[in-house]
């Protein structure tokens, strides 16, 4: 992790982590992070764009530097939001457990809240070392239109009893926005205005992304 970020976060007590491909970042991500920050009293939310995603076909994923830049543009007006290159700098696929371990090592006193959407949360059983993830962090599942979590939660709780008081659901204002939807609209020459920050929309246009 960047020394400057470590320094800034060292006085935080409760730290949110928002991981994602962010290809591109949009208002769904930003609303999830801001709602979690306010509702859970987080001192900061750290956005961590994936390097290589274990879940995605990396041939089709936009260059990490560009995804990182779009994240930076989006969060610059929120002093509680920071972005880290921790996964971009690490070689190989980005596993959440490795990222949480690294953060915990550098910031051992901080309480860590890993923020996901419901779709990602119900997948958690297929992630690497879920029990270690629950040990290192509380996991926040922010509601996302189209994803029901109830029966999945029961399964996670029974398979990993330690998750019972480490996994929370968070109601956020529903935004049925996904990066996939934005990419496909750009590809079809349709407007993506109001789905993501204007500066990111301009960045996409200026760099000819998703065409
Ligand atoms: P893609 O369509 O490419 O999968 P995405 O919109 O799902 O993109 P990701 O980068 O995959 O975005 O997601 C990062 C995290 O943000 C995940 O935990 C995901 O569940 C969450 N998330 C994304 N969009 C929303 C949304 N509209 N509401 C709540 N959570 C969201
Ligand atoms: Mg996704």
């Amino acid at each position: 992790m960047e020394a400057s970020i470590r320094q800034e976060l060292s006085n935080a007590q409760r730290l949110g982590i928002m991981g994602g491909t962010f290809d591109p970042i949009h208002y769904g991500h930003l609303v999830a992070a801001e709602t979690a920050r306010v509702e859970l009293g987080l001192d900061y939310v750290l956005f961590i764009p994936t390097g290589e995603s274990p879940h995605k076909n990396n041939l089709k994923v936009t260059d990490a530097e560009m995804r990182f830049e779009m994240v930076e543009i989006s969060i610059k007006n929120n002093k509680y939001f920071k972005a880290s290159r921790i996964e971009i700098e690490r070689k190989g696929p980005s596993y959440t457990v490795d990222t949480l371990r690294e953060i915990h090592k550098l910031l051992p006193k901080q309480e860590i809240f890993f923020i996901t959407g419901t779709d990602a949360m119900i997948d958690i059983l297929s992630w690497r070392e879920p029990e270690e993830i629950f040990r290192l962090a509380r996991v926040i599942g922010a509601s996302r239109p189209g994803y029901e979590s109830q029966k999945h939660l029961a399964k996670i709780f029974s398979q990993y009893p330690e998750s019972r008081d480490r996994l929370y659901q968070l109601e956020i204002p529903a935004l049925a926005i996904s990066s996939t939807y934005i990419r496909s609209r750009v590809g079809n020459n349709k407007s993506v205005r109001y789905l993501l920050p204007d500066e990111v929309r301009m960045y996409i246009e200026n760099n000819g992304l998703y065409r």
Side-chain angles (χ1 to χ4, degrees), residues 17-20 48 50 52-55 86-87 90 93-104 112-116 120 124 127-130 132-134 136-139:
I17 304 290
M18 180 88 204
I48 306 187
T50 51
E52 262 172 62
S53 170
H55 304 292
I86 189 169
E87 290 195 357
R90 196 190 306 135
S94 302
Y95 291 105
T96 296
V97 70
D98 296 334
T99 303
L100 294 176
R101 261 195 208 109
E102 192 171 337
I103 292 170
H104 177 68
I112 298 177
F113 295 77
F114 187 75
I115 306 162
T116 68
I124 215 160
W127 294 8
R128 184 176 278 202
E129 299 179 56
E132 183 72 356
I133 291 178
F134 289 121
L136 291 163
R138 284 157 219 258
V139 179

Side-chain angles (χ1 to χ4, degrees), residues 33-164:
E34 180 70 357
T35 310
R37 180 183 77 76
V38 172
E39 295 306 318
L40 299 160
L42 307 177
D43 298 299
Y44 292 99
V45 177
L46 187 59
F47 285 72
I48 306 187
T50 51
E52 262 172 62
S53 170
H55 304 292
K56 296 197 180 177
N57 176 355
N58 288 294
L59 292 174
K60 292 204 175 134
V61 173
T62 304
D63 173 62
E65 294 305 329
M66 292 183 133
R67 290 183 289 111
F68 186 78
E69 273 187 82
M70 291 190 277
V71 168
E72 282 208 304
I73 298 173
S74 308
I75 66 175
K76 67 173 185 299
N77 293 326
N78 189 331
K79 65 176 178 186
Y80 305 110
F81 286 2
K82 308 279 169 200
S84 170
R85 310 172 56 85
I86 189 169
E87 290 195 357
I88 296 177
E89 303 294 338
R90 196 190 306 135
K91 294 276 168 292
S94 302
Y95 291 105
T96 296
V97 70
D98 296 334
T99 303
L100 294 176
R101 261 195 208 109
E102 192 171 337
I103 292 170
H104 177 68
K105 209 165 134 200
L106 295 172
L107 298 164
K109 293 204 293 278
Q110 279 67 4
E111 258 187 279
I112 298 177
F113 295 77
F114 187 75
I115 306 162
T116 68
T118 323
D119 61 311
M121 189 193 70
I122 60 189
D123 258 12
I124 215 160
L125 294 175
S126 69
W127 294 8
R128 184 176 278 202
E129 299 179 56
E131 60 279 89
E132 183 72 356
I133 291 178
F134 289 121
R135 202 181 62 75
L136 291 163
R138 284 157 219 258
V139 179
I140 311 301
S143 53
R144 185 171 188 181
Y147 299 93
E148 246 331 303
S149 58
Q150 238 36 1
K151 66 173 196 285
H152 299 279
L153 273 183
K155 198 171 162 204
I156 298 174
F157 287 154
S158 76
Q159 201 154 336
Y160 295 100
E162 60 272 56
S163 70
R164 278 174 192 279

